[in-house]
């Protein structure tokens, strides 16, 4: 029997939730760019990240890290907000570097940046946000 708190099970679940969150984030990003000027990609990134974060908190708490958790939802949400702020700062900074300085396509740059940010977020989520009891 495979336990739900193993790293491999959580990585698999994190991937499933991550794809869902990434799609929600990317759709919000695309919608914002469609209704605004192309130069507003950083604002669109913020809207996408916020959309994904709200969905991600609930799905990660209930599905990815569905073990007996040490902390209440309010403490986890506070930790998740800190993680979200760090992810938003990192993704915005990297996106700016790639698009403004590197002249990359905003859509491709966003996918590349999200791959880096999502990987580090798994580690922080497992160790700090959704700590096991």
């Amino acid at each position: 029997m495979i336990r739900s708190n193993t790293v491999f099970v959580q990585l698999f679940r994190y991937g499933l939730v991550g794809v869902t969150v990434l799609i929600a984030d990317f759709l919000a990003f695309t919608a914002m760019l469609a209704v605004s000027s192309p130069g507003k990609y950083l604002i669109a990134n913020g809207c996408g990240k916020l959309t994904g974060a709200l969905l991600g908190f609930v799905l990660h708490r209930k599905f990815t890290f569905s073990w007996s958790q040490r902390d209440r939802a309010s403490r986890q949400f506070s930790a998740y907000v800190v993680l979200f702020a760090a992810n938003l700062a990192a993704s915005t900074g990297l996106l700016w570097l790639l698009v403004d300085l590197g002249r990359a396509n905003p859509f491709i740059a966003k996918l590349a940046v999200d791959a880096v940010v999502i990987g580090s977020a798994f580690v922080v989520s497992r160790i700090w946000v959704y700590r096991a009891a």
Side-chain angles (χ1 to χ4, degrees):
M1 173 114 180
I2 297 175
R3 294 179 18 216
S4 66
N5 64 347
T6 66
V7 173
F8 298 111
V9 170
Q10 288 171 352
L11 270 171
F12 178 74
R13 289 179 177 185
Y14 193 83
L16 290 177
V17 170
V19 167
T20 303
V21 168
L22 186 62
I23 289 169
D25 177 344
F26 204 77
L27 286 174
F29 175 78
T30 302
M32 285 299 297
L33 282 183
V35 299
S36 66
S37 64
K40 304 288 186 188
Y41 67 91
L42 294 177
I43 293 170
N45 182 58
C47 290
K49 289 287 174 223
L50 183 60
T51 301
L54 294 173
L55 179 62
F57 175 74
V58 173
L59 292 177
H60 285 310
R61 186 172 200 288
K62 298 294 183 186
F63 179 69
T64 305
F65 303 105
S66 60
W67 54 37
S68 178
Q69 297 170 4
R70 180 185 307 180
D71 302 310
R72 295 187 324 260
S74 59
R75 186 252 167 228
Q76 289 175 336
F77 185 75
S78 297
Y80 195 81
V81 167
V82 171
L83 176 59
F84 167 73
N87 284 346
L88 181 61
S91 69
T92 301
L94 290 171
L95 193 59
W96 176 80
L97 285 172
L98 290 174
V99 174
D100 276 15
L101 300 181
R103 303 290 182 225
N105 176 289
F107 294 101
I108 294 170
K110 178 163 179 53
L111 289 174
V113 165
D114 283 349
V116 171
V117 171
I118 288 168
S120 61
F122 170 75
V123 175
V124 174
S125 292
R126 186 173 200 280
I127 294 171
W128 185 55
V129 178
Y130 303 103
R131 301 181 294 179

